[in-house]
Amino acid sequence: MDKQVTKIGVLTSGGDSPGMNAAVRAVVRTGIYYGMEIFGIMRGYSGMIENDIVPMHSRSVANIIQRGGTILKTARCKEFFGYEGRKKAHSNLKKLGINGLVIVGGDGSFRGAHQFSEEFDIPCIGLPGTIDKDIAGTDFTIGFDTAVNTAVEAIDKIRDTADAHDRLFIIEVMGRDAGYIALHSGIATGAENILIPERKTDIEELISSLQEKEKRKKLVNLVVVAEGDNFGGSDEVAKVVKQRLPNVDTRVCVLGHIQRGGSPSCLDRVIASRMGYSAVECLMEGRFNVMVGILNNKMHFTPLEKAVKAKQKIGDEWMKIVKILAS
Ligand code: F6P
């Protein structure tokens, strides 16, 4: 792929995350600065297939850096999994002369981008936009910081009422396949136990730790559960807890999609801006088909092919911290 990128299409795909707008703004303004034409592709890959593509100008991205959600809208597009869908998408890009793409999304979106770039020779740059932080090759993903702070704020409030009533709360946070939100929000709020998809939930261990707390009259306890924990999430855990600890006043709270919305934090705005800027530079310099991340405060480029396979790991040390600090 030895070509000059002159027209960039930018899209947001998969679950939205706070800071996606800041990334789009950075791509649009950096591209324009370097004399390129920029197009916004609506609703992720769906807009590419349905030719819902609009020219973007500097003013198109005014007043969005502070807004959650995504002005380009987003979708999980099944049609793009099939070759016919991708072919249609390519012909729409071709008509407009779009010869480079920036995709803000998670690993599923990168998988589509990787395949598309291989089949149609269109350079693609991925920006990690997901609240789940489950992408390797970057210390941050756009949206995680905001989401986890939303969870922390909510859990702090739950602790107030838990404390007032001497209650045990089982709190479910997002993370179908990843436990980062649970881990970080749990540590930051002093949760007594944290259950994540990366570890097999040992329900007996949880029960005996709660029984031990009951014995020493530690009545206020918070258990943070990632929605994808393999025991079945907060409801399943609560069923067993209520059965085995009938004297403990137990409540469940599912935080849900409030974690995905809201104004992005300063950190998310800044990393999204740096990544968006860097994505355009990659396309200009011929560094194609990479995911732009930030590692040790430096831009880091992971080939898309690798980015779709690698997973962030949660080391045992994290769980040890939880156990020691929550005693
Ligand atoms: O964006 C990631 C994520 O928030 C996961 O943590 C969660 O499991 C999933 O999206 C929920 O997706 P949806 O909004 O489609 O239900």
Side-chain angles (χ1 to χ4, degrees), residues 270-307:
V270 172
I271 62 161
S273 300
R274 290 174 72 188
M275 288 174 180
Y277 165 86
S278 180
V280 175
E281 290 219 313
C282 283
L283 288 173
M284 279 177 47
E285 291 163 3
R287 186 183 273 136
F288 295 158
N289 305 326
V290 293
M291 181 199 84
V292 174
I294 299 176
L295 273 184
N296 300 323
N297 205 24
K298 289 204 171 64
M299 302 321 290
H300 183 84
F301 308 101
T302 307
L304 276 182
E305 200 182 347
K306 236 173 117 188

Side-chain angles (χ1 to χ4, degrees), residues 219-234:
L219 301 173
V220 182
N221 290 296
L222 304 183
V223 178
V224 175
V225 184
E227 86 183 268
D229 107 289
N230 53 46
F231 200 74
S234 55

Side-chain angles (χ1 to χ4, degrees), residues 14-16 76 130-132 174-177 181 227 257 260:
D16 63 309
R76 295 190 173 99
T130 165
I131 63 164
D132 289 344
M174 272 188 154
R176 193 161 38 209
D177 307 306
I181 297 180
E227 86 183 268
H257 285 76
R260 281 241 293 262

Side-chain angles (χ1 to χ4, degrees), residues 16 53 109 117 164 181 185 261 309:
D16 63 309
I53 302 174
S109 310
S117 69
I181 297 180
S185 64
K309 287 186 198 134

